[in-house]
């Protein structure tokens, strides 16, 4: 059944087709899905794909979705992660039906393990982890049965009880399923289902010192909750026979089915909580929500919207084939989302002072500026203009190359929303650097006045100096550099591929209206791209802006 549909079907989501078939054939009455993160880190954009898939499927077919924390490993888990995961799922716009912890089922899982023992389908093994691994065999050779494999159910019940009572040290004994040491599927060669871990658990405290293994716990969790479609990533495909074995042999009344899909991989990105945690722990980045991180909290802080992330997840589809998605596709969706929503204002990131020598001293006029040239409904605002303004340093060149249409000595440009100015004089400091331009303006050329006397080729942005609001700008480049040679990229540790120039911080100016910009408010800065007001580093009167994305990219989403 799993192979009946793949990415070649009409829908770009083959699991949706399975759901449609299951409902039509009456195999299930109501769709129940779940998103089952392990609370050992913050969620990333790959998890968003899984969240969207699970929640949107259930929403579409009037089913239910649980948020379930797969907290069967006491050592790596933490409440901080639980809270962040809840926040991220909600922020993406989803509401879970049930909120569960796998650890809530430890009692029932233990009972099911006892049932397996009584049925002669599980045994306590005294071999070490290494011995178990070595006797597992290979793809071509069968495994070797453990010398403890033939313990009787009574012996096993007694030993398992002693494991539970804390009579053994970590690793001294395990409980294994008794299936088939010669199975062609290595996962069926008596997998370990319980191990001893003397550790405090964030939810159950010190109640347990034996913990179920993920492969045993997961099908039970799904069955206990009545999950119908248990969706996971492709690495679990070989686990499916064991998943089905557990559900059947533990005699679970409800039978979930596992379906595997391709995990999301993005260019220039590492996508594993373990690696992301390493970046945080080694202070390569400034926390899990550093805007360079592919975490949901990082993307949020950078300025991504839930709408953009959801649209992206819908577009990439759900298939069974391995692939790497170009990160520029994600960028495409935030541009699309903000295009008609974001206020379009001006910001000068690298300021150069300009004095307009023929503009009356002490005079300020307020000019009309439309808020979004593609969305009239957003109205307009007034911006000040006076004798002193800032422009962008690279909008001036003393010796311009061919086809340079911005300011240079003797040249005239249009100031966006204002007048034409002409560069008359360049002022330098002792080091010979340009520190100020002296220009003249032509009052006839006021924007919106219908002036047609002459044309200029360049339009530049600016900020009036006396009302300018100081601001910080953070520009990002990919944190991880992809190797051109794929094999090479795999070999090199991702820590060796950190881009040393992933963050550039600049100080400049924004329009006076933005003095009170709210945290997470998003703007399009003329010619610079989309920016988000940083929720942590903005100070009163001095906002900090994170660049979400530049205005244009060479990327063609349709061809991706
Ligand atoms: P990581 O390796 O990043 O820790 P994980 O798979 O161990 O990921 P879990 O917390 O176990 O993380 O994952 C919760 C759910 O999210 C699982 O169903 C998993 O399949 C899914 N998931 C994780 N990473 C991706 C990804 N890159 N693309 C799609 N789904 C993913
Ligand atoms: Mg995991």
């Amino acid at each position: 059944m799993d192979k009946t549909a793949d990415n070649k079907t009409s829908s770009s989501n083959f699991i949706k087709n399975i759901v449609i078939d299951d409902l039509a054939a009456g195999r299930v009455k109501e769709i129940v899905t779940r998103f089952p993160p392990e609370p050992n880190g913050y969620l990333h954009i790959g998890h968003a794909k899984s969240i969207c898939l699970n929640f949107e499927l259930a929403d579409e077919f009037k089913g239910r979705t649980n948020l379930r924390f797969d907290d069967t490993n006491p050592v790596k888990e933490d409440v901080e992660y639980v809270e962040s995961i809840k926040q991220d799922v909600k922020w993406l716009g989803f509401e879970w039906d049930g909120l569960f912890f796998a650890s809530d089922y430890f009692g029932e899982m233990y009972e099911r393990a006892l049932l397996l023992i009584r049925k002669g389908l599980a045994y306590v093994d005294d071999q070490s982890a290494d011995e178990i691994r070595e006797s597992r065999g290979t793809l071509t050779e069968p495994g070797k049965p453990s010398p403890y494999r033939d313990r009787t159910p009574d012996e096993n019940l007694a030993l398992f009880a002693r494991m539970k009572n804390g009579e053994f040290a970590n690793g001294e004994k395990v409980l294994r399923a008794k299936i088939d040491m010669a199975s062609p599927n290595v996962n069926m060669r008596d997998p370990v289902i319980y191990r001893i871990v003397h550790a405090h658990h964030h939810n159950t405290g010190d109640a347990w010192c034996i913990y179920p293994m993920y492969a045993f716990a997961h099908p039970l969790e799904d069955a206990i909750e009545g999950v119908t479609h248990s969706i996971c990533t492709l690495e679990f495909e070989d686990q499916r026979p064991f998943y089905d074995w557990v559900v059947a042999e533990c005699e679970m009344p409800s039978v979930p089915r596992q379906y595997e899909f391709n995990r999301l991989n993005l260019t220039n990105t590492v996508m594993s909580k373990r690696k992301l945690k390493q970046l945080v722990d080694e202070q390569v980045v400034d926390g899990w929500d550093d805007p360079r991180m592919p975490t949901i909290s990082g993307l949020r802080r950078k300025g991504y919207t839930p709408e953009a992330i959801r649209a992206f997840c819908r577009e990439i589809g759900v298939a069974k084939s391995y692939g790497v998605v170009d990160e520029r596709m994600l960028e495409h969706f935030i541009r699309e989302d903000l295009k008609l929503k974001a206020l379009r204002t001006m910001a000068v990131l690298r300021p150069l002072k300009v004095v307009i020598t023929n503009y009356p001293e002490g005079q300020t006029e307020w000019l009309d500026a439309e808020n979004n040239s593609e969305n009239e409904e957003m109205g307009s605002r007034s911006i000040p203009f006076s004798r002193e303004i800032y422009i962008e340093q690279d909008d001036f060149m003393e010796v311009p190359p061919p086809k340079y249409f911005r300011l240079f000595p003797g040249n005239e440009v249009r100031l966006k929303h204002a007048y034409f100015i002409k560069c008359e004089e360049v002022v330098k400091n002792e080091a010979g650097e340009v520190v100020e331009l002296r220009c003249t303006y032509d009052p006839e050329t006021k924007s919106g006045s219908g002036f047609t006397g002459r044309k200029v080729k360049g339009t530049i942005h600016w900020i009036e100096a006396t009302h300018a609001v100081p601001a910080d700008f953070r520009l990002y480049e990919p944190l991880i550099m992809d190797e051109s040679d794929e094999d090479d990229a795999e070999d090199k540790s991702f820590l060796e591929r950190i881009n040393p120039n992933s963050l550039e911080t600049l100080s400049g100016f924004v329009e006076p209206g933005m003095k009170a910009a709210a945290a997470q408010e998003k703007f399009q800065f003329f010619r610079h791209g989309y920016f988000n007001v940083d929720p942590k580093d903005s100070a009163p009167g001095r906002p900090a802006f994170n660049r979400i994305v530049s205005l244009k990219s060479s990327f063609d989403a349709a061809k991706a």
Side-chain angles (χ1 to χ4, degrees):
M1 144 127 245
D2 52 296
K3 300 281 182 194
T4 55
D6 63 12
N7 51 337
K8 291 183 201 74
T9 54
S10 56
S11 157
S12 67
N13 177 345
F14 76 97
I15 297 177
K16 180 165 156 181
N17 294 344
I18 292 172
V19 167
I20 292 171
D21 286 351
D22 285 347
L23 286 169
R27 277 190 291 272
V28 294
K29 284 198 193 67
E30 187 193 26
I31 295 300
V32 182
T33 61
R34 86 290 175 260
F35 174 64
E38 188 181 351
N40 60 352
Y42 282 58
L43 297 182
H44 52 61
I45 180 77
H47 292 114
K49 175 176 175 175
S50 173
I51 294 170
C52 290
L53 173 58
N54 280 293
F55 279 91
E56 288 180 355
L57 258 186
D59 282 350
E60 183 168 351
F61 297 100
K62 304 205 168 21
R64 288 180 289 133
T65 304
N66 294 338
L67 173 59
R68 180 209 309 146
F69 290 98
D70 227 317
D71 55 352
T72 51
N73 182 355
V75 186
K76 291 195 196 142
E77 296 158 0
D78 201 283
V79 263
E80 175 195 347
Y81 300 138
V82 170
E83 291 312 312
S84 77
I85 289 170
K86 285 200 247 177
Q87 186 194 1
D88 288 348
V89 173
K90 275 193 220 155
W91 178 76
L92 281 173
F94 298 111
E95 279 175 45
W96 49 84
D97 290 280
L99 176 67
F100 300 113
F101 289 85
S103 53
D104 293 338
Y105 313 139
F106 281 167
E108 171 146 14
M109 291 174 186
Y110 179 74
E111 293 298 326
R112 299 287 163 177
L114 293 180
L115 174 65
L116 291 182
I117 295 175
R118 284 197 295 270
K119 289 167 78 173
L121 293 175
Y123 61 97
V124 174
D125 195 346
D126 299 0
Q127 293 184 107
S128 69
D130 284 343
E131 286 167 330
I132 291 176
R133 200 177 317 111
E134 279 158 23
S135 60
R136 246 172 120 204
T138 63
L139 286 178
T140 48
E141 266 173 65
K144 268 206 298 296
S146 162
Y148 306 97
R149 197 171 196 261
D150 294 324
R151 279 176 166 157
T152 65
D154 284 342
E155 273 176 283
N156 286 316
L157 286 172
L159 284 171
F160 192 46
R162 290 177 60 198
M163 281 170 64
K164 176 174 182 279
N165 292 340
E167 292 182 34
F168 304 112
N170 291 355
E172 225 180 305
K173 291 192 166 26
V174 292
L175 184 71
R176 293 178 75 175
K178 189 171 179 177
I179 310 178
D180 178 4
M181 287 307 287
S183 170
N185 183 336
V186 178
N187 297 297
M188 297 296 272
R189 296 183 188 168
D190 293 10
V192 173
I193 59 178
Y194 262 92
R195 61 190 174 136
I196 300 169
V197 186
H198 291 274
H200 190 81
H201 187 281
H202 78 98
N203 189 26
T204 55
D206 298 313
W208 296 88
C209 65
I210 54 170
Y211 290 92
M213 301 300 287
Y214 180 86
F216 176 66
H218 204 87
L220 295 180
E221 294 157 21
D222 286 340
I224 291 167
E225 290 174 18
V227 166
T228 55
H229 295 73
S230 173
I231 304 169
C232 63
T233 43
L234 275 177
E235 321 83 88
F236 292 96
E237 197 164 16
D238 291 342
Q239 288 280 1
R240 190 173 351 112
F242 183 61
Y243 181 102
D244 291 339
W245 184 93
V246 170
V247 172
E249 296 300 348
C250 289
E251 301 174 18
M252 301 307 288
S254 151
V255 178
R257 291 269 171 241
Q258 174 181 302
Y259 299 95
E260 307 88 17
F261 72 105
N262 55 339
R263 63 169 46 230
L264 170 65
N265 299 300
L266 276 183
T267 53
N268 293 99
T269 310
V270 289
M271 198 100 77
S272 130
K273 279 176 289 185
R274 185 180 57 77
K275 290 181 182 160
L276 297 175
K277 185 167 188 303
Q278 212 174 332
L279 293 173
V280 173
D281 291 345
E282 296 184 17
Q283 299 180 356
V284 175
V285 294
D286 180 23
W288 286 97
D289 66 350
D290 186 303
R292 292 167 293 177
M293 292 280 271
T295 50
I296 295 180
S297 49
L299 290 168
R300 172 168 62 234
R301 188 167 169 199
K302 194 174 191 184
Y304 272 83
T305 58
E307 291 79 6
I309 293 177
R310 288 172 67 159
F312 167 76
C313 289
R314 229 167 279 137
E315 178 67 25
I316 55 178
V318 177
K320 268 187 169 287
S321 51
Y322 173 86
V324 180
V325 175
D326 195 312
E327 56 157 2
R328 288 175 299 178
M329 187 157 155
L330 182 59
E331 297 179 344
H332 165 81
F333 283 98
I334 188 65
R335 282 192 197 96
E336 282 297 300
D337 187 39
L338 294 181
K339 192 167 69 182
L340 302 181
K341 282 188 200 167
L343 201 66
R344 299 186 183 181
T345 68
M346 296 192 285
V348 172
L349 275 51
R350 297 174 184 85
L352 172 62
K353 182 81 138 310
V354 172
V355 178
I356 299 163
T357 52
N358 62 339
Y359 195 88
E361 258 176 82
Q363 179 179 313
T364 301
E365 66 181 298
W366 292 81
L367 303 170
D368 192 46
E370 65 202 338
N371 283 333
N372 187 321
S373 52
E374 289 182 85
N375 181 2
E376 259 183 41
E377 284 176 17
M378 289 189 70
S380 63
R381 66 192 183 283
S382 287
I383 53 172
F385 184 77
S386 77
R387 189 179 155 86
E388 293 194 359
I389 64 172
Y390 295 108
I391 66 165
E392 215 62 68
Q393 282 168 18
D394 63 6
D395 281 339
F396 169 79
M397 285 188 92
E398 198 168 12
V399 184
K403 304 230 168 116
Y404 186 84
F405 299 121
R406 292 170 270 167
L407 267 187
F408 53 86
N411 193 42
E412 195 173 40
V413 297
R414 169 186 292 286
L415 292 177
K416 176 85 176 162
H417 301 306
Y419 299 95
F420 290 7
I421 57 168
K422 185 174 180 185
C423 178
E424 309 283 358
E425 195 187 332
V426 180
V427 182
K428 295 182 184 176
N429 62 13
E430 283 175 5
E433 297 156 345
V434 178
V435 290
E436 189 179 299
L437 302 179
R438 300 180 76 79
C439 297
T440 51
Y441 88 115
D442 178 353
E444 301 287 303
T445 59
K446 186 169 175 173
S447 187
S449 68
F451 174 79
T452 53
R454 62 187 183 280
K455 286 207 162 80
V456 289
K457 284 202 165 145
T459 299
I460 65 173
H461 59 275
W462 53 279
I463 295 283
E464 192 271 334
T466 56
H467 293 77
V469 174
D472 298 311
F473 305 94
R474 289 89 72 91
L475 310 185
Y476 305 103
E477 292 294 332
L479 182 62
I480 311 284
M481 296 183 286
D482 273 352
E483 257 12 64
S484 48
D485 182 350
E486 279 269 327
D487 294 338
D488 226 38
E490 304 249 319
D491 286 349
K492 256 194 191 169
S493 146
F494 74 101
L495 289 174
E496 290 170 40
R497 294 191 283 129
I498 301 286
N499 176 1
N501 304 313
S502 59
L503 169 65
E504 183 182 12
T505 301
L506 300 169
S507 292
F509 299 101
V510 292
E511 296 177 10
M514 298 172 68
K515 193 167 192 158
Q520 294 292 117
E521 208 176 331
K522 290 149 189 65
F523 298 92
Q524 187 194 105
F525 291 152
F526 186 59
R527 297 166 73 212
H528 283 304
Y530 292 98
F531 285 73
N532 184 47
V533 179
D534 190 90
K536 287 188 176 165
D537 298 336
S538 296
R542 190 183 181 99
F545 293 94
N546 303 331
R547 178 149 74 184
I548 314 169
V549 67
S550 60
L551 285 180
K552 287 213 174 69
S553 110
S554 51
F555 183 64
D556 184 347
K559 286 190 196 144

